[in-house]
């Protein structure tokens, strides 16, 4: 039972890259709204905080207080242009950067933290919580299947080896992963640089999670029951609390470029929506191939495009496709995927994009790039059958044409729509009052609003 008179302090530790901090904030806002006796101190870098808290007033935040931690870059830092460099420098600055900021607050408030809610990647949250006799609730912001891969990394390394791996081998020795091939595994598990900062961090995460009070996941039970059971057997508690787009309040999505109005002018399930998330830009030759296919095919398209389209796309493309295509620098993706006119989503298979397209009921054409994206694509194509990859894994004009044709105008495409509708129903059911994800949220609130008894 919650003692309303006790004021508790909870530290929230965000991972400040990709689409990590936003979903964590959604979860924390959901808990904070029903936990007036708790203050949530939200730690992330200045840049990440500025982005996720933008447009929110102090009153909107209520009992959530943002605090900045050092990003690992010195004042005279000059970017080398390598996209991973800021990530690596940040990881190298952990856990000290969080520790300093947290200790300062504890000293100021004269009160320690009763619970740490962290991005699961920040595995050291588990050690900190143990030192403080606090609870640790890590949030995994991606799918169950990739989580299981990181929890079982040592088993994978032992069974597959790390040198000269057979990329075509199926992971048939782990429940729920038998359709997955070694080549689908995120880099840093058995291939790639195993001692790179990110690989080491995520490996340690997998070892640490069984010690967590409860592991929260932005997903729902019905998407992967077998893997969920496997994870449950390894964790003290597994709480599926997603999809957040259904279980938590979402930030307002402005439609600055009139995407929705444009979509309304098109037939049901006829438009291809294209976006590769917040991190990835396909290489120049693939952008050209994709553009060539879009120009040639009969389908209208809406493309959320990072960078200068005029410069990066083939000469004359914008002019020639003006009547059938729309290119915007940023799109209200969730609203777009829910729009009846959208018939396919050309995606990098990022986890948030997958949840959004399930809720929209739109099948995918997948071009994965790194991290969990290959693994996600394998499940989408082979296990869930709600999308396709492109031939040989890269955009060529013919591969894109074939995939668009398949998803938008074949019987197979229709089947994919039916399958994705089933997952949508399962997600909606979990998010209903008394649904599995809502029940788990209640458990999580209870856990966060009470202290360890010892
Ligand atoms: N997104 C958006 N508008 C865009 C492009 C992306 O709102 O034009 C959002 C999208 O809805 C999703 C997130 O950015 O919530 C991308 O997350 P995901 O996990 O798919 O990929 P990541 O950015 O982490 O690679």
């Amino acid at each position: 039972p919650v003692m309303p008179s006790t004021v508790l302090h909870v530290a929230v530790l965000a991972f400040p890259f990709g689409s990590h901090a936003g979903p964590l904030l959604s979860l924390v806002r959901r808990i904070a709204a029903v936990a007036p006796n708790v203050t949530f101190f939200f730690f992330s870098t200045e840049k990440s905080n500025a982005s996720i808290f933008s447009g929110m007033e102090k009153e909107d935040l209520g009992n959530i207080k943002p605090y900045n931690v050092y990003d690992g870059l010195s004042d005279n830092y000059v970017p080398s242009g390598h996209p991973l460099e800021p990530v690596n420098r940040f990881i190298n600055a952990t856990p000290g950067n969080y520790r300093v900021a947290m200790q300062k607050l504890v000293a100021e408030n004269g009160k320690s933290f009763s619970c740490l809610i962290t991005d699961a990647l920040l595995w050291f949250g588990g050690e900190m919580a143990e030192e403080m006799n606090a609870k640790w609730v890590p949030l995994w912001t991606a799918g169950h299947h990739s989580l299981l891969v990181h929890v079982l990394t040592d088993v994978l390394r032992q069974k597959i080896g790390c040198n000269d791996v057979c990329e075509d081998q199926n992971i048939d020795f782990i429940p729920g992963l038998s359709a997955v091939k070694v080549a689908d595994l995120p880099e840093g598990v058995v291939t790639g640089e195993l001692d790179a900062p990110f690989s080491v961090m995520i490996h340690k995460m997998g070892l640490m999670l069984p010690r967590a009070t409860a592991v929260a996941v932005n997903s729902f039970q019905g998407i992967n029951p077998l893997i969920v059971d496997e994870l449950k057997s390894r964790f003290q508690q597994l709480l599926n609390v997603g999809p957040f787009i259904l279980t938590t309040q979402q930030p307002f999505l402005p439609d600055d470029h009139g995407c929705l109005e444009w979509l309304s002018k098109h037939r049901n399930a006829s438009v291809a929506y294209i976006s590769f998330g917040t991190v990835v830009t396909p290489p120049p030759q693939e952008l050209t191939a994709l553009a060539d296919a879009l120009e040639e095919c009969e389908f209208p398209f809406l493309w959320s495009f990072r960078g200068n389209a005029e410069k990066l796309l083939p000469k004359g493309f914008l002019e020639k496709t003006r009547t059938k295509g729309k290119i915007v620098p940023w799109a209200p993706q969730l609203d777009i995927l829910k729009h009846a006119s959208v018939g396919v989503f050309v995606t990098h298979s990022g986890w948030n994009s997958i949840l959004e397209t399930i809720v929209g009921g739109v099948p995918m054409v997948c071009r994965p790039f790194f991290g969990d994206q290959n693994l996600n694509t394998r499940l989408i194509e082979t296990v869930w059958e709600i999308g396709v990859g492109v031939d040989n894994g890269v955009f060529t004009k013919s591969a894109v044409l074939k995939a668009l044709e398949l998803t938008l105008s074949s019987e197979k495409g229709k089947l994919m729509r039916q399958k994705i509708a089933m997952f949508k129903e399962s997600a909606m059911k979990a998010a209903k009052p008394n649904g599995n994800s809502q029940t788990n949220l209640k458990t999580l609130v209870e856990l966060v609003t009470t202290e360890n008894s010892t």
Side-chain angles (χ1 to χ4, degrees):
V2 185
M3 303 290 287
S5 56
T6 15
V7 176
L8 298 180
H9 285 182
V10 170
V12 184
L13 276 50
F15 185 71
F17 300 98
S19 304
H20 273 257
L24 179 63
L25 180 59
S26 298
L27 176 66
V28 169
R29 292 190 79 189
R30 169 70 170 73
I31 303 171
V34 290
N37 68 319
V38 182
T39 308
F40 296 83
F41 299 90
F42 195 100
F43 297 93
S44 193
T45 59
E46 187 176 350
K47 193 173 164 196
S48 152
N49 276 339
S51 153
I52 60 165
F53 287 101
S54 86
M56 286 187 209
E57 303 292 335
K58 255 214 160 87
E59 318 60 278
D60 301 331
L61 291 176
N63 46 345
I64 303 174
K65 300 192 184 305
Y67 282 85
N68 296 341
V69 300
Y70 176 50
D71 61 6
L73 308 175
S74 59
D75 286 343
N76 50 12
Y77 167 70
V78 184
S80 70
H82 193 290
L84 266 183
E85 190 184 68
V87 181
N88 289 339
R89 293 218 186 187
F90 171 80
I91 295 171
N92 289 336
T94 65
N97 55 347
Y98 288 99
R99 217 180 259 282
V100 168
M102 289 162 77
Q103 278 169 352
K104 189 162 168 262
L105 258 173
V106 170
E108 273 170 25
N109 296 328
K111 187 170 180 67
S112 57
F113 297 111
S114 57
C115 176
L116 270 59
I117 303 177
T118 76
D119 194 299
L121 291 174
L122 305 176
W123 59 272
F124 48 82
E127 283 180 353
M128 288 176 166
E130 282 169 11
E131 283 163 27
M132 299 174 193
N133 186 31
K135 298 175 185 181
W136 179 38
V137 180
L139 167 69
W140 178 248
T141 59
H144 300 112
H145 46 284
S146 52
L147 180 55
L148 185 59
V149 160
H150 295 301
V151 170
L152 296 181
T153 290
D154 284 343
V155 176
L156 288 162
R157 286 181 183 174
Q158 195 196 345
K159 291 251 186 197
I160 299 166
C162 295
N163 300 310
D164 287 333
V165 298
C166 168
E167 299 233 311
D168 207 38
Q169 183 188 343
N170 282 71
I171 317 280
D172 49 11
F173 49 89
I174 295 178
L177 295 183
S178 56
V180 171
K181 293 186 183 294
V182 169
D184 303 327
L185 294 174
E187 55 281 2
V189 175
V190 293
T191 57
E193 285 180 64
L194 305 193
D195 51 3
F198 197 89
S199 315
V200 172
M201 176 175 67
I202 208 159
H203 181 213
K204 286 190 178 167
M205 172 196 83
L207 298 174
M208 197 69 189
L209 288 180
R211 278 156 67 177
T213 316
V215 179
V217 183
N218 181 13
S219 192
F220 55 102
Q221 160 106 13
I223 196 167
N224 233 330
L226 204 62
I227 298 184
V228 166
D229 282 349
E230 187 62 27
L231 287 169
K232 278 189 176 159
S233 76
R234 293 173 187 276
F235 294 156
Q236 296 186 33
Q237 227 181 142
L238 173 73
L239 297 173
N240 292 305
V241 284
F244 288 166
I245 43 175
L246 296 178
T247 58
T248 71
Q249 205 192 342
Q250 291 301 297
F252 170 71
L253 299 174
D255 184 16
D256 297 336
H257 306 279
C259 294
L260 299 172
E261 196 197 324
W262 183 87
L263 282 175
S264 332
K265 295 184 184 134
H266 291 89
R267 272 191 305 114
N268 258 10
S270 68
V271 175
Y273 168 64
I274 303 141
S275 163
F276 304 104
T278 58
V279 183
V280 162
T281 307
Q285 69 277 18
E286 288 193 59
L287 286 177
T288 302
L290 178 54
D292 287 347
L294 290 171
E295 186 185 329
E296 185 165 312
C297 74
E298 64 194 280
F299 313 111
F301 65 88
L302 174 60
W303 193 343
S304 169
F305 193 91
R306 286 308 87 65
N308 185 340
E310 189 96 42
K311 244 165 95 185
L312 292 164
L313 294 176
K315 212 163 178 272
F317 172 77
L318 298 182
E319 193 55 32
K320 282 186 273 182
T321 57
R322 226 181 9 197
T323 51
K324 72 183 248 196
K326 186 173 175 71
I327 297 191
V328 296
W330 185 255
Q333 180 165 302
L334 178 59
D335 294 338
I336 286 171
L337 290 167
K338 284 193 204 161
H339 197 286
S341 300
V342 176
V344 67
F345 179 17
V346 181
T347 174
H348 67 310
S349 302
W351 185 247
N352 292 295
S353 292
I354 294 172
L355 291 176
E356 290 161 13
T357 211
I358 287 176
V359 168
V362 178
M364 286 160 272
V365 168
C366 306
R367 164 56 174 110
F369 287 86
F370 72 99
D372 60 345
Q373 297 160 10
N374 287 295
L375 195 54
N376 294 342
T377 299
R378 177 68 68 191
L379 271 88
I380 288 166
E381 200 173 7
T382 314
V383 180
W384 299 323
E385 299 174 317
I386 54 175
V388 283
V390 285
D391 286 350
N392 299 317
V394 290
F395 289 138
T396 59
K397 184 175 165 186
S398 60
V400 174
L401 284 172
K402 185 174 154 196
L404 290 177
E405 197 69 39
L406 183 88
T407 45
L408 283 168
S409 52
S410 79
E411 278 307 308
K412 260 189 158 169
K414 271 197 200 132
L415 280 178
M416 286 178 198
R417 274 192 168 256
Q418 286 167 10
K419 285 239 158 112
I420 208 161
M422 280 161 44
F423 284 110
K424 175 180 179 173
E425 208 178 291
S426 169
M428 305 277 276
K429 198 169 152 218
K432 272 195 191 140
N434 298 323
N436 185 264
S437 289
Q438 294 292 356
T439 310
N440 287 339
L441 272 168
K442 280 188 202 128
T443 306
L444 188 54
V445 168
E446 173 81 19
L447 207 152
V448 170
T449 51
T450 51
E451 270 180 291
N452 265 343
S453 47
T454 46

